[in-house]
Amino acid sequence: MSTMTYRELWCSSPRYWAGLALLGALVLIGLGAAYYMEHQGHYVTGMNNHIVWGLPHVFAIFLIVAASGALNVASIGSVFGGPMYKPLGRFSALLAIGLLAGGLYVLVLDLGRPDRLVVAMTTYNFKSIFTWNIFLYNGFFLIVALYIWSMIDRTAKWAYTPLGFTAFFWRLALTTGTGSIFGFLVAREAYDAAILAPMFIIMSFSYGLAFFILALLAAFWWAGRAIGDLRLTKLKNLLGVFIGAVLFFALVYHLTNLYITQHHGLESFVLLDGGIYTVMFWLGQVVIGSIVPLFLIYSPGFKTSRWAIAAASVLVLAGGFFQLYVLVIGGQAFPMPLFPGQEVLASTMLDGQIAPYTPSVPEFLLGMSGIVVAMTLVAVVSRMLQVLPDSLEDEQER
Amino acid sequence: MSNQTEQPDLERRGFIGKTVLAAGAAVVAPGVLVSVAGAGAKTDGADPGKRYGLLIDTNKCAEGCTACVTACNEEHGIDLMQKPEGLDEAQWQQQKPQWIRKVKLQDNLTGRVTNLPLMCQHCEFPPCVDVCPTGASFKRADGIVMVDRHTCIGCRYCMMACPYKARSFIHQEVEHQTVSAPRGKGCVESCNLCAYRLDYGADNTACAEACAAQGHNAILFGDLNDPNSELAQALSSAASRQIRGDLELNTGVRYTNV
């Protein structure tokens, strides 16, 4: 068996620095948008007292969920002993850290008082799942950083397996915590369901792997290195399984709701007459995010097509974004059941009505820059540490 | 040996050093500007033997009357807030704070119409308090649920959790406010049963007072724990219910004839 060599992301200066400058410019735009929203107040956004979590939250939750999923490739290598995945472990762990940082960056900058972050870090209410998440997120950074160290430093090899297991269980806890942000909300019909926690875990598998495949292809293209078809096919087939699993959970979630008379209104809102939310569910989550990528992945015509693998990954991410949009925004837009059996004739708080929400440009720019922050972090650290294999050609493996 | 400039290791150190320096500066600079807000003792003065609440008789709540809403808006300086320049009127209606609102209902089967005011229900087990990460959302010893605006970080998780849509987020800069109802951009607020009035010896809320002044007397304020209070007497003599009683939050605000 040949030895795997890792090397920093090193390409010609203009190629690297121009890329980094582009990323930096996009981050600056996002920071500008955040400053504008913070300075003016949230009135410049589309958010209101009904839709209190808007587009930035969709981006933030999307990135946080994907972060834990991106670590899966490393976990398969160390926890489940998959030799094909082992060389990808370092990059997978780094991407996980990057995505989490990007998500938290958006989450914090969308706070009403981001300047009080220090209050959030020092004053706790341990009944709040948000408080637990603060520990889960910070712990994730620490554990995964140590995990990367145990993979890189040969003298730390003894720590590799225990850290691999710790990181794996920690990431499960982290996604459970993120899913529980919604699962614990008794007030709203779309949430308040224990299935949201495992559903978030399986969503993280899918989005995280899609992010990983894209980041890997991009980094190798940037550095001008080669990846063999065998390994990519493995990753791609795994993605197919995860897409199916997310669909299964979505099916169970909706079938359960359809059985319960009380939730028929919500289900008809999402599945039939919810306007943009119905379109996002069927066209966004089901067709674009699941059926088309499954076709691209399993169709014999695209067996080793890089283009098809990348396209499938992009579509999975788009579908995941729509799925979270329907859950986060749609779940708030649907009226809360305050007076069952009665129709609300008048209310200044839109009781009984679908709440309006139109995302604003600054919200979008802040959200997008979260993804860019993740990419920038990965690009910078990849140049510092030996996280990327020199080559992933098939012959090298066996 | 290959060309030195092609070797990553030689330039790596410089790259790492500069990046760490830049990241360090970016982290420390804003930190210098941050000041830690100190929160005062939350339960000072509140009597743990009491539990304040309201009883709303919807039969007495008159259609078209918004005296309680107007009184609340004046009491808590909500009427001092202006629509930000350039903001769409419809969006302003969805963004401005509302501590109390009038709701008109019609029964799907019988067609009976009901009017009622809806505000924070001052739950014994408030979901907003459960979810608040910093403990800014809290319940006083006398049962009043309110927000400590020194520790509220504006995450809006309480608004996600409240089953009554009773909370409002301050979406803009606040120019005018009353001394008794401090308000700040980026924080959440809601009905506090006129806590400061009670703390200064008053025995009624602004909304109940205004309703009585109109001659409706649909809102009755008092101590749920005092069996001799008018409120407790009224509750023991007539059937009342909690809105979303299924959640078993044991609300401090009760309704009759709804």
Side-chain angles (χ1 to χ4, degrees):
Chain A
M1 193 171 160
S2 59
T3 334
M4 183 61 65
T5 324
Y6 296 85
R7 206 155 49 94
E8 295 85 351
L9 175 67
W10 213 261
C11 53
S12 66
S13 253
R15 194 172 158 90
Y16 180 80
W17 292 108
L20 205 60
L22 178 69
L23 292 174
L26 292 172
V27 173
L28 278 181
I29 291 173
L31 283 172
Y35 175 77
Y36 172 66
M37 289 188 284
E38 200 281 324
H39 194 70
Q40 299 288 322
H42 273 61
Y43 86 86
V44 296
T45 72
M47 288 178 251
N48 49 48
N49 286 328
H50 316 285
I51 308 291
V52 299
W53 285 356
L55 198 56
H57 270 78
V58 178
F59 274 101
I61 294 164
F62 180 61
L63 284 166
I64 293 169
V65 167
S68 53
L71 189 68
N72 270 358
V73 176
S75 296
I76 296 172
S78 51
V79 177
F80 300 103
M84 287 289 272
Y85 294 93
K86 220 166 172 174
L88 303 172
R90 300 176 181 187
F91 188 63
S92 147
L94 173 61
L95 181 64
I97 287 184
L99 289 172
L100 184 62
L104 293 180
Y105 150 92
V106 178
L107 202 64
V108 166
L109 289 181
D110 187 50
L111 288 176
R113 297 293 305 260
D115 54 315
R116 285 187 181 166
L117 184 62
V118 67
V119 176
M121 300 297 244
T122 49
T123 319
Y124 301 115
N125 163 28
F126 284 102
K127 203 179 174 187
S128 168
I129 189 71
F130 256 19
T131 296
W132 286 100
N133 282 342
I134 291 172
F135 288 94
L136 287 168
Y137 297 154
N138 284 322
F140 187 83
F141 282 130
L142 182 72
I143 292 168
V144 178
L146 289 172
Y147 186 28
I148 295 178
W149 163 69
S150 76
M151 285 190 263
I152 294 178
D153 189 345
R154 262 177 235 153
T155 62
K157 230 174 172 53
W158 55 271
Y160 172 63
T161 306
L163 279 170
F165 273 88
T166 311
F168 178 66
F169 288 113
W170 197 273
R171 59 98 33 224
L172 290 182
L174 186 145
T175 330
T176 305
T178 310
S180 300
I181 290 174
F182 297 95
F184 287 178
L185 290 176
V186 294
R188 294 170 194 266
E189 280 192 61
Y191 312 141
D192 183 26
I195 196 178
L196 287 176
M199 190 161 110
F200 267 60
I201 293 181
I202 200 66
M203 280 151 65
S204 82
F205 282 18
S206 179
Y207 312 166
L209 187 57
F211 253 119
F212 179 80
I213 292 173
L214 287 172
L216 187 71
L217 287 172
F220 270 59
W221 165 79
W222 208 2
R225 300 182 200 176
I227 315 176
D229 284 336
L230 197 59
R231 215 179 303 261
L232 269 182
T233 311
K234 277 219 160 200
L235 288 172
K236 160 186 114 150
N237 289 340
L238 192 61
L239 184 62
V241 174
F242 290 160
I243 296 170
V246 173
L247 264 185
F248 170 74
F249 268 82
L251 185 73
V252 173
Y253 169 81
H254 287 294
L255 280 180
T256 316
N257 274 344
L258 281 169
Y259 192 84
I260 304 167
T261 310
Q262 190 192 350
H263 292 159
H264 284 178
L266 170 72
E267 283 307 309
S268 91
F269 172 68
V270 175
L271 304 178
L272 292 175
D273 52 20
I276 184 76
Y277 303 105
T278 304
V279 174
M280 281 190 182
F281 174 76
W282 288 111
L283 193 64
Q285 186 189 337
V286 177
V287 177
I288 296 174
S290 310
I291 295 175
V292 178
L294 280 175
F295 172 74
L296 289 171
I297 287 170
Y298 289 120
S299 166
F302 302 118
K303 210 167 175 190
T304 55
S305 159
R306 299 282 157 104
W307 175 86
I309 297 173
S313 303
V314 169
L315 292 180
V316 165
L317 293 180
F321 186 83
F322 287 128
Q323 181 175 11
L324 280 172
Y325 194 97
V326 172
L327 183 79
V328 176
I329 314 273
Q332 294 174 80
F334 188 73
M336 284 194 279
L338 278 179
F339 305 100
Q342 311 216 50
E343 190 192 341
V344 181
L345 298 180
S347 162
T348 49
M349 209 57 180
L350 299 182
D351 292 298
Q353 291 179 54
I354 306 295
Y357 173 67
T358 312
S360 63
V361 175
E363 287 172 81
F364 176 77
L365 292 177
L366 171 63
M368 275 305 286
S369 74
I371 300 178
V372 184
V373 163
M375 288 160 63
T376 310
L377 208 78
V378 171
V380 171
V381 180
S382 293
R383 197 177 175 91
M384 290 177 173
L385 302 177
Q386 298 174 337
V387 292
L388 283 167
D390 205 16
S391 162
L392 284 173
E393 288 285 15
D394 292 339
E395 311 82 63
Q396 271 217 331
E397 191 57 37
R398 273 160 211 278
Chain B
M1 200 74 191
S2 61
N3 190 341
Q4 294 279 331
T5 53
E6 291 296 310
Q7 283 292 336
D9 273 356
L10 295 178
E11 288 190 36
R12 184 171 73 153
R13 248 178 231 179
F15 180 74
I16 291 178
K18 280 172 201 154
T19 314
V20 168
L21 200 70
V27 168
V28 173
V32 175
L33 303 171
V34 170
S35 58
V36 186
K42 287 164 188 168
T43 50
D44 278 358
D47 183 351
K50 288 191 157 102
R51 185 176 178 210
Y52 289 119
L54 298 169
L55 176 64
I56 287 147
D57 186 343
T58 59
N59 276 351
K60 295 180 182 168
C61 182
E63 185 162 346
C65 171
T66 52
C68 56
V69 179
T70 310
C72 178
N73 287 349
E74 283 172 10
E75 185 72 33
H76 303 288
I78 296 171
D79 59 344
L80 299 176
M81 295 190 67
Q82 300 288 317
K83 178 169 84 75
E85 217 170 300
L87 183 67
D88 178 59
E89 177 62 32
Q91 179 72 334
W92 166 239
Q93 291 304 321
Q94 313 312 332
Q95 286 184 339
K96 69 177 188 189
Q98 292 189 50
W99 288 21
I100 182 172
R101 64 185 186 269
K102 279 288 297 278
V103 180
K104 184 179 173 185
L105 304 167
Q106 183 169 38
D107 192 285
N108 286 340
L109 186 69
T110 64
R112 179 174 176 266
V113 172
T114 312
N115 285 284
L116 54 87
L118 192 65
M119 69 295 279
C120 169
Q121 303 287 293
H122 298 280
C123 311
E124 184 187 358
F125 306 107
C128 57
V129 173
D130 287 346
V131 302
C132 177
T134 64
S137 203
F138 71 104
K139 189 178 65 158
R140 294 201 339 177
D142 55 11
I144 295 176
V145 175
M146 55 194 289
V147 180
D148 177 346
R149 268 161 252 180
H150 293 290
T151 45
C152 175
I153 57 171
C155 74
R156 285 106 71 202
Y157 197 16
C158 57
M159 299 177 75
M160 291 291 281
C162 175
Y164 307 101
K165 250 191 200 180
R167 297 206 148 185
S168 298
F169 181 71
I170 302 304
H171 289 78
Q172 82 248 44
E173 205 70 65
V174 178
E175 284 176 30
H176 307 288
Q177 52 187 316
T178 64
V179 177
S180 52
R183 162 171 295 124
K185 178 186 75 181
C187 287
V188 174
E189 56 182 46
S190 60
C191 160
N192 56 14
L193 285 179
C194 296
Y196 72 93
R197 282 170 61 127
L198 305 176
D199 293 345
Y200 282 93
D203 57 1
N204 210 353
T205 60
C207 56
E209 234 171 54
C211 188
Q214 292 290 315
H216 300 313
N217 290 308
I219 305 176
L220 186 59
F221 170 80
D223 177 10
L224 293 161
N225 285 351
D226 175 7
N228 299 318
S229 71
E230 200 186 339
L231 175 66
Q233 301 273 336
L235 275 166
S236 62
S237 64
S240 65
R241 55 162 286 201
Q242 311 171 47
I243 295 177
R244 292 233 54 188
D246 58 316
L247 298 176
E248 303 203 14
L249 303 172
N250 189 13
T251 57
V253 179
R254 304 290 172 120
Y255 291 80
T256 56
N257 301 310
V258 64

